[in-house]
Amino acid sequence: MGGYAFHVWTSWGLSALVLLGLFINAKLTNAKIKREIARQIQREQAQQTTESTKIS
Amino acid sequence: VNPFTIAWNILARFYHRLASPREFYAISRYVTPVFGLLFLGFTIAGSYYGLYVAPADYQQGDSYRIIFVHVPAAWSSLFIYVIMATAGAIGLIWRMKMAFVVAICSAPIGAAFTALALVTGSIWGKPIWGTWWVWDARLTSELILLFLYFGVMALYYAFDERKIAERAMALLCVVGVVIVPIIHYSVEWWSSLHQGATVFREGGPAMPPSMLMPLLYMALGFTFFYGYVLFLRAQNMVLSNERNSRWVRDLIVAGKHETA
């Protein structure tokens, strides 16, 4: 890289890191939201069963 | 039948489909991987040509190869803000839910690209200009763009009521777009260390094809990456916003059975 290896590879490396970070962040958020909603559904189902047992 | 009417009807139907979070989610499931593949293709080809095939610059040597990440990041930083302003305006005028989602989901990507453009520019400036930073028009206006992105995000998360948050955020998107022409013309209006336009200038690009081609490949790659992550983030936000709706619940339950 003609004496500019540090500058060129730092720039390209940082770019790769930024893209990777955005990608991983989006994927982790997706898993987190799906987990949250699944838990919410479970909670509500548990509540419904306790309510129905109370009524009966 | 008037072809204009047919085209208008197709457009209107597409608009209405995209306007519904559920339809948007369904469409984005198909569009997202296409954007991801286009990003990979263009970026891998652009990196190969930019790092190994393109010749060194006769003045700047190999240091100029920073252009292949710096300029696509800077172009994307402007492009994304224009998309946000457009989406914000559509949301404010026609009360389109999904337009707000597109605007707010674009902001972190735009901020990341703006920061990347500033940092790679700094790394390029040190050996060529002899300084990491100068307070000249191009650099300062791009820094203001970064703060605008932060402002859009901060404004959205400052309100508990989602409808108010969306409208406030969209308004800043629309008003803030004035920075885009200022950044573009800053190198003409004020004297600057930064070089003038090399690609979008009168008389065509002042670059040989061996350097221009990888630059355009990388720019397309970055743009498709923006589209890719935007759709991923928008899917997340639709799921989160619509978590109490029937279709999201069915989707989550079906997904659990799939993985289990």
Side-chain angles (χ1 to χ4, degrees):
Chain A
M1 281 288 157
Y4 293 111
F6 172 76
H7 300 93
V8 173
W9 291 116
T10 310
S11 300
W12 280 71
L14 281 174
S15 307
L17 273 181
V18 165
L19 299 195
L20 201 68
L22 284 168
F23 169 73
I24 291 172
N25 172 261
K27 285 291 182 187
L28 287 180
T29 311
N30 186 269
K32 189 176 149 233
I33 289 172
K34 283 183 175 163
R35 232 182 5 250
E36 272 175 19
I37 300 173
R39 214 174 293 147
Q40 192 184 329
I41 295 170
Q42 267 179 348
R43 222 174 15 241
E44 285 172 11
Q45 280 172 345
Q47 234 163 26
Q48 274 173 357
T49 43
T50 49
E51 269 166 29
S52 57
T53 47
K54 262 183 221 163
I55 293 161
S56 63
Chain B
V1 183
N2 187 340
F4 181 77
T5 322
I6 297 172
W8 178 254
N9 284 340
I10 292 170
L11 210 66
R13 205 171 304 148
F14 188 64
Y15 176 87
H16 282 291
R17 284 199 64 186
L18 274 182
S20 139
R22 185 184 183 171
E23 295 277 354
F24 179 93
Y25 191 88
I27 293 170
S28 75
R29 302 270 284 184
Y30 292 98
V31 178
T32 311
V34 176
F35 275 47
L37 285 175
L38 284 167
F39 151 67
L40 279 179
F42 278 110
T43 309
I44 290 169
S47 301
Y48 174 69
Y49 283 101
L51 287 170
Y52 296 105
V53 180
D57 185 68
Y58 81 106
Q59 279 183 325
Q60 299 195 15
D62 282 309
S63 75
Y64 95 97
R65 292 185 201 280
I66 295 172
I67 203 175
F68 299 124
V69 287
H70 172 70
V71 167
W75 280 347
S76 304
S77 76
L78 299 179
F79 175 73
I80 293 171
Y81 206 92
V82 172
I83 296 287
M84 282 165 61
T86 313
I90 292 173
L92 288 173
I93 297 166
W94 291 295
R95 309 271 163 118
M96 187 195 192
K97 259 198 225 174
M98 284 315 300
F100 292 127
V101 173
V102 165
I104 187 62
C105 288
S106 296
I109 313 170
F113 279 155
T114 310
L116 189 61
L118 287 167
V119 171
T120 54
S122 207
I123 295 169
W124 194 3
K126 187 60 188 164
I128 299 303
W129 297 345
T131 178
W132 299 100
W133 184 264
V134 281
W135 289 102
D136 86 344
R138 172 54 70 81
L139 281 70
T140 309
S141 55
E142 182 77 8
L143 185 65
I144 293 172
L145 178 66
L146 181 65
F147 293 147
L148 271 170
Y149 278 120
F150 289 157
V152 167
M153 288 187 271
L155 206 52
Y156 182 76
Y157 291 107
F159 296 95
D160 291 327
E161 183 70 41
R162 197 204 307 158
K163 280 192 175 162
I164 299 172
E166 284 174 342
R167 297 180 69 78
M169 173 277 300
L171 203 63
L172 183 57
C173 290
V174 174
V175 173
V177 80
V178 70
I179 195 72
V180 171
I182 292 178
I183 293 174
H184 180 74
Y185 290 108
S186 58
V187 285
E188 287 181 28
W189 293 342
W190 296 283
S191 70
S192 171
L193 259 185
H194 197 282
Q195 67 188 71
T198 313
V199 178
F200 295 114
R201 59 176 215 127
E202 272 180 64
M207 264 181 128
S210 59
M211 296 175 178
L212 186 62
M213 189 203 62
L215 180 61
L216 294 181
Y217 275 25
M218 292 301 281
L220 279 170
F222 273 45
T223 310
F224 284 120
F225 181 81
Y226 158 60
Y228 177 63
V229 175
L230 170 64
F231 275 112
L232 289 180
R233 297 187 74 96
Q235 284 176 16
N236 292 346
M237 190 164 267
V238 165
L239 286 181
S240 182
N241 288 353
E242 309 289 320
R243 62 175 64 205
N244 291 320
S245 68
R246 183 81 235 164
W247 70 271
V248 168
R249 302 189 148 228
D250 290 345
L251 198 102
I252 298 292
V253 172
K256 280 215 106 175
H257 288 305
E258 226 169 75
T259 49

